[in-house]
Amino acid sequence: ITAMPVDNVVQMLAQQPGVTIHDNEIHIRGGRADDTQFVIDGISVNDPLAGGGYGYQIDPSLINEIEVLTGGFNAEHGQAVSGIVNVSTKEGGDRWSGQVGWKRDYLTRIPKGDYVDWRDLGRFEEPQNIDILKASLSGPDPLAAALRRMGLRLPGQQYLLLSASTDLRDGYLPIYSRQSRLQSPIYDHTWLSPRQQNEWNGMAKWTWHLTPRHKL
């Protein structure tokens, strides 16, 4: 996982046999996207209405293990027809650690109104105005440490992991997105949709090791 030059789980699964990617959706053994059950830490994260999984954009640096089941899985995994993607995420440790990453396909800011003629859209050296930012922080739970200083010591050990990421891009056809921002009747906050494609993701994981054999 560390050696792969990928940004999300979808790109990682595309390397596995029997898995194909179409329109950023996972298809296992030729099945539909909603035929795949997506599980993170034992919890199903499938969209009950539109299908697909909410965990496709999880930061690869948070993944501890990925298991792809293309058949012969147990009955405990319901609503899985073609396959199961089982993801195990990392936990916080005894020492604080973190990382920050920023990827972009241009050197300086691309201003709005920088019109690209339709006859030049075949020139794929044009930047797509891509910005991918990721940040994560993990370590011992500060709230449990504060309680210990107050004399209230919880049994076992508590750990915390926080992660946030955003993927902003205009795409290969930046005619409209270069002229104006993406509009939506749901919200008026322009900073949420500065590009044509705007993805925001976050994860918080709190772990309580009660005993060597019990974990919450």
Side-chain angles (χ1 to χ4, degrees):
I1 292 177
T2 304
M4 284 184 174
V6 297
D7 296 316
N8 52 50
V9 177
V10 175
Q11 298 174 357
M12 299 173 61
L13 296 177
Q15 312 298 323
Q16 303 301 314
V19 180
T20 58
I21 306 299
H22 182 67
D23 291 338
N24 207 35
E25 293 182 339
I26 297 176
H27 302 269
I28 297 180
R29 297 186 304 159
R32 296 175 299 180
D34 53 358
D35 289 341
T36 301
Q37 183 76 2
F38 204 97
V39 180
I40 296 181
D41 292 332
I43 299 177
S44 174
V45 292
N46 277 53
D47 189 334
L49 297 178
Y54 287 114
Y56 288 163
Q57 304 301 326
I58 189 172
D59 188 350
S61 64
L62 303 180
I63 296 176
N64 183 49
E65 183 181 9
I66 292 182
E67 182 183 21
V68 181
L69 304 177
T70 59
F73 35 83
N74 297 330
E76 62 179 300
H77 301 288
Q79 300 178 351
V81 179
S82 61
I84 297 172
V85 178
N86 192 4
V87 178
S88 172
T89 59
K90 296 179 180 179
E91 300 176 356
D94 294 325
R95 301 178 61 182
W96 284 102
S97 64
Q99 61 181 4
V100 177
W102 185 11
K103 295 181 181 180
R104 66 188 337 186
D105 68 338
Y106 59 97
L107 182 61
T108 59
R109 179 177 178 271
I110 300 178
K112 293 295 180 181
D114 184 12
Y115 181 74
V116 178
D117 190 86
W118 65 271
R119 288 179 291 266
D120 296 331
L121 292 178
R123 296 168 47 223
F124 290 106
E125 68 270 15
E126 280 284 334
Q128 301 180 46
N129 206 8
I130 298 176
D131 278 295
I132 301 176
L133 293 90
K134 297 180 180 181
S136 62
L137 181 67
S138 63
D141 181 20
L143 179 59
L147 292 176
R148 285 193 295 269
R149 288 192 293 267
M150 297 172 57
L152 302 175
R153 183 176 181 85
L154 297 176
Q157 298 292 330
Q158 301 80 30
Y159 304 101
L160 183 66
L161 183 146
L162 301 174
S163 172
S165 64
T166 179
D167 189 329
L168 311 175
R169 62 183 68 197
D170 281 336
Y172 286 108
L173 304 176
I175 295 179
Y176 173 78
S177 55
R178 288 283 178 86
Q179 304 303 310
S180 59
R181 297 179 180 272
L182 185 67
Q183 302 295 324
S184 173
I186 300 178
Y187 55 84
D188 297 327
H189 303 292
T190 57
W191 64 270
L192 288 174
S193 57
R195 312 277 170 83
Q196 189 70 14
Q197 175 182 324
N198 309 276
E199 295 181 358
W200 302 82
N201 299 280
M203 189 182 80
K205 184 176 182 179
W206 182 74
T207 309
W208 187 359
H209 289 267
L210 292 166
T211 66
R213 299 182 57 185
H214 298 85
K215 179 174 65 175
L216 178 63

